[in-house]
Amino acid sequence: MTNLLQQDIQYLPGVGPQRKKLLAEELGIVTYGDLLQYYPYKHVDRSRLYAISELTGDMPFIQVKGHILSFETFKMGARKKRVVAHFTDGTGRVMDLTWFNYADSAVKKYKIGTEYVVFGRPQVFNGRIQVVHPDMDEASKLELSSMGMQPYYNTSEKMKKAGLNSRTMERIIKTLLDVLKEPLEETLPDFITQSLHLMSRDEALRKLHYPHGSKELERARVRLKFEELFYVQLNILRYASDQRRKYRGYTFSKVGDHFNGFYSQNLPFPLTEAQKRVIREIRKDMGSGRQMNRLLQGDVGSGKTLVALMSMLIALDNGYQACIMAPTEILAEQHLQTIMDFLHDMDIRVALLTGIVKGRRRQEVLDGLLDGTVQILVGTHAVIEDTVRFARLGMVVVDEQHRFGVAQRAKLWSKSQNPPHVLVMTATPIPRTLAMTLYGDLDVSVIDELPPGRKPVVTTHVFMSSMPSLYDGLRRQIHEGRQVYIVFPLIEESEKIDLKNLEDGFETLRQVFPEFRLSKVHGKMKPADKEAEMQKFVSGETQILVATTVIEVGVNVPNASVMVILEAQRFGLSQLHQLRGRVGRGADQSYCILVTGYKLAEDTRKRIDIMCDTNDGFRIAEADLKLRGPGDLEGTQQSGMAFDLKLADIARDGQLVQLARDEAQRIIDDDPACDSPRYNLLWKRLRELRKTHVNWGVIS
């Protein structure tokens, strides 16, 4: 059966070379197996017949059995025509069947007096029920009792023009199921399918295309969703188990002068209970003798950088160097400044390595890393270049993990004799089900409380017509000594228009606020110019920073109390939350103002409402996942989530994700070397999937 699934699709009756080419180009279908896994997007119940008298214009789909009484043709211009067939079900009631395309062929194809089953969506036209471009089958050739739920398949415009519409695809897939006479090979062992009461794979695939009812369809979907999620989790956990067995980590058994001196002399404020808990988890990992791979989640302003620094000091206490890698030069420089402020008066050498560190200054950093005198390195992607070599790299902190690919981070490992301890930080809260899939091999720590004294940011939504009163509010805030961000969208597809809007907007704002000084920042500026403008705002020389989302991460100005986001409908939820995190960093009450026009799509309205209702990053992340799906979330492609989940939805199938993970974990615990004959079927299937899904790469 496996060989038959690998058969070239052109040899299936009804396909041939031309359709094969189209299926390959449009849908990536080249084998019988590919076609079998081309799942319908919906089903319609075909078991019921309606009387014409029951039909209304708001019904989704109906089918009626009867015959054509007569045809009428209406001209629609020089070349077009409309053909109407008057159709009766024998009760004296009549409905119209209408064709605009291929009108002549409808008259030739369908015969007056022959009994047909008509299927389609009813509507009312001129007081009569009509169905436009109906599906029609001769009643004598159709077994309605065996049809059950009719599948519907997505097809492209190109396919439709070539006659490959949903109905044609259905017929081709029905032919395939008839050809596959032997039961399909099982891909889950009996002990899983029986204990979880799952359908066999053969039954599930057949019933997913042709179920006899909604309950049967749901059981088929659950079986196939579980299988998808199970192999994702098995792959992640197998990799994590393999890493733990192969690689010993450095044992950092000592907590010494650097850590203790910082804790007693330099700690700027008492740690929150959440920070203390996370530091304990990290210390335990680093002293365990195995390599730490930990994800540190925490909302904006929760104190992740302080936790990361204290973890790096443990590495220094044990005679090793530490490195923090950030996605942008601005964020790297921000980290450098923050760390230097934290470490004031301590004898620790911290250096910066980004693309703009050149010449003698760069060489000094490289030499210091090689001889061990540079103890903490802060950098961007420049850190992973081959010329950057460490004396004893013991710990790596990766900030905003989703901005880095797996291969980039793996290069850091080669810079150390043993793999360094890894702490991955993100200020983008990740829903639990997504974290299990994106970062399933990482232990997770969460800082779920803000430092004392922080007030929640008040978020409000206003329309463009309210700008004059908004300007008055900003003016009052600045007169009280505060500073303001005003953010314009910069979306790559309309970059030139957006930049012009920002430039024009900047000039308008200068006229609105002639008494204040303004800075302007966007990603297309030269780094030095951008940095100079940023510094004016950081130092308080300018009161208003007009910017694009370049300020989403890395700008820390405690005196800034208002974030105005123009055209907020063009931003995603997580991006809005990140921008809001730029304010509320001091003790003063801060505000985030979302500005839009009146016309808003339903999803946009939901996004705006969620932002106004909560400051909880995890609630926002859950909502974002449900609104957009995992494929659209920033960074999922780089993180190993790029393989194709055809049915499962991480946002909506949380219980199945957990169930799949529990089953996968049981197997890994029982067979950590992945070589037990009891699990041969699973390891064989996982190898097959890794070959066909090239993006099932290492997730770490």
Side-chain angles (χ1 to χ4, degrees), residues 152-314:
Y152 276 71
Y153 299 89
N154 280 314
T155 55
S156 67
E157 284 304 313
K158 195 172 178 183
M159 290 171 68
K160 289 185 180 98
K161 283 178 183 173
L164 269 177
N165 56 19
S166 173
R167 194 70 191 276
T168 312
M169 289 300 297
E170 181 201 338
R171 288 177 183 132
I172 290 171
I173 289 170
K174 195 164 194 323
T175 301
L176 172 65
L177 292 173
D178 291 340
V179 167
L180 300 174
K181 297 186 188 305
E182 297 296 316
L184 297 164
E185 279 185 20
E186 188 49 81
T187 46
L188 291 174
D190 289 347
F191 66 82
I192 289 181
T193 54
Q194 289 173 9
S195 68
L196 298 179
H197 308 290
L198 298 173
M199 277 183 174
S200 71
R201 181 169 181 253
D202 179 77
E203 187 183 9
L205 281 165
R206 293 177 191 273
K207 299 298 188 193
L208 189 72
H209 290 286
Y210 285 101
H212 281 100
S214 56
K215 286 185 180 175
E216 197 172 72
L217 173 62
E218 184 55 27
R219 285 195 65 214
R221 288 174 67 83
V222 165
R223 152 64 209 233
L224 295 170
K225 282 181 182 184
F226 174 84
E227 182 177 337
E228 286 182 352
L229 294 166
F230 171 77
Y231 278 108
V232 169
Q233 296 297 337
L234 190 65
N235 184 59
I236 294 165
L237 294 172
R238 177 208 59 80
Y239 167 74
S241 172
D242 205 35
Q243 291 297 102
R244 280 195 287 271
R245 287 185 310 109
K246 279 184 185 175
Y247 298 106
R248 298 285 301 165
Y250 294 116
T251 304
F252 292 166
S253 55
K254 189 167 80 171
V255 176
D257 293 343
H258 289 109
F259 184 94
N260 291 328
F262 177 82
Y263 191 82
S264 60
Q265 303 294 327
N266 285 50
L267 199 62
F269 42 75
L271 296 174
T272 63
E273 288 305 313
Q275 286 173 311
K276 290 176 185 175
R277 183 186 70 242
V278 170
I279 290 170
R280 283 195 297 271
E281 290 167 352
I282 290 169
R283 280 180 60 177
K284 186 178 175 184
D285 280 357
M286 294 169 104
S288 69
R290 70 177 181 88
Q291 185 211 13
M292 176 175 74
N293 269 298
R294 186 165 286 278
L295 173 67
L296 175 56
Q297 293 195 69
D299 228 331
V300 283
S302 61
K304 294 183 301 298
T305 306
L306 180 59
V307 168
L309 173 60
M310 293 178 75
S311 306
M312 290 192 281
L313 293 177
I314 296 173

Side-chain angles (χ1 to χ4, degrees), residues 319-580:
Y320 287 85
Q321 296 159 293
C323 164
I324 180 165
M325 193 162 73
T328 65
E329 288 179 353
I330 290 173
L331 187 51
E333 288 165 12
Q334 186 78 49
H335 277 315
L336 178 73
Q337 190 59 53
T338 303
I339 288 170
M340 298 286 275
D341 291 345
F342 279 143
L343 295 178
H344 66 89
D345 298 333
M346 290 185 73
D347 186 20
I348 294 174
R349 186 178 171 195
V350 185
L352 177 72
L353 191 65
T354 67
I356 58 173
V357 179
K358 300 186 185 302
R360 184 200 287 178
R361 190 173 152 218
R362 186 182 190 84
Q363 193 57 50
E364 285 174 359
V365 174
L366 296 178
D367 292 344
L369 289 171
L370 201 52
D371 65 22
T373 55
V374 170
Q375 294 156 285
I376 296 177
L377 180 69
V378 182
T380 56
H381 299 77
V383 170
I384 61 177
E385 291 172 6
D386 292 336
T387 54
V388 181
R389 292 155 65 199
F390 293 79
R392 299 183 86 197
L393 179 62
M395 180 175 183
V396 174
V397 178
V398 183
D399 195 15
E400 293 304 330
Q401 141 73 14
H402 61 271
R403 310 264 181 123
F404 293 102
V406 170
Q408 290 172 313
R409 268 201 350 279
K411 283 189 99 175
L412 281 167
W413 285 34
S414 64
K415 298 181 184 294
S416 188
Q417 187 177 352
N418 281 350
H421 294 296
V422 176
L423 181 67
V424 169
M425 298 198 304
T426 179
T428 308
I430 302 160
R432 191 176 58 84
T433 52
L434 190 57
M436 269 193 275
T437 308
L438 287 184
Y439 307 110
D441 62 326
L442 300 183
D443 298 309
V444 178
S445 290
V446 178
I447 302 179
D448 50 10
E449 60 182 307
L450 293 177
R454 290 279 176 90
K455 294 177 182 173
V457 178
V458 174
T459 305
T460 56
H461 172 215
V462 302
F463 296 111
M464 290 294 291
S465 56
S466 303
M467 290 305 286
S469 59
L470 174 59
Y471 291 148
D472 288 341
L474 299 183
R475 195 170 279 110
R476 283 194 297 273
Q477 284 286 310
I478 298 170
H479 280 311
E480 288 174 15
R482 311 285 172 255
Q483 289 167 275
V484 172
Y485 296 102
I486 299 179
V487 176
F488 283 77
L490 178 55
I491 314 297
E492 286 180 14
E493 290 82 4
S494 55
E495 191 176 283
K496 286 181 181 174
I497 298 167
D498 284 341
L499 276 175
K500 186 174 187 308
N501 288 345
L502 183 139
E503 299 287 356
D504 292 347
F506 182 72
E507 289 306 318
T508 301
L509 288 166
R510 282 175 63 174
Q511 291 168 28
V512 171
F513 299 111
E515 70 271 42
F516 302 132
R517 292 185 297 279
L518 284 72
S519 288
K520 176 178 63 180
V521 176
H522 58 79
K524 298 299 168 186
M525 293 168 68
K526 290 178 182 175
D529 295 341
K530 192 162 55 181
E531 178 61 23
E533 289 293 297
M534 285 279 203
Q535 282 308 319
K536 285 181 189 175
F537 188 67
V538 171
S539 68
E541 186 183 333
T542 55
Q543 289 82 42
I544 299 174
L545 177 61
V546 180
T548 60
T549 53
V550 72
I551 60 154
E552 184 183 336
V553 289
V555 182
N556 184 15
V557 184
N559 193 49
S561 64
V562 185
M563 166 66 67
V564 178
I565 304 173
L566 300 173
E567 295 188 63
Q569 74 276 7
R570 296 179 64 190
F571 296 87
L573 257 179
S574 61
Q575 205 172 28
L576 290 171
H577 183 60
Q578 286 284 316
L579 286 167
R580 176 168 61 185

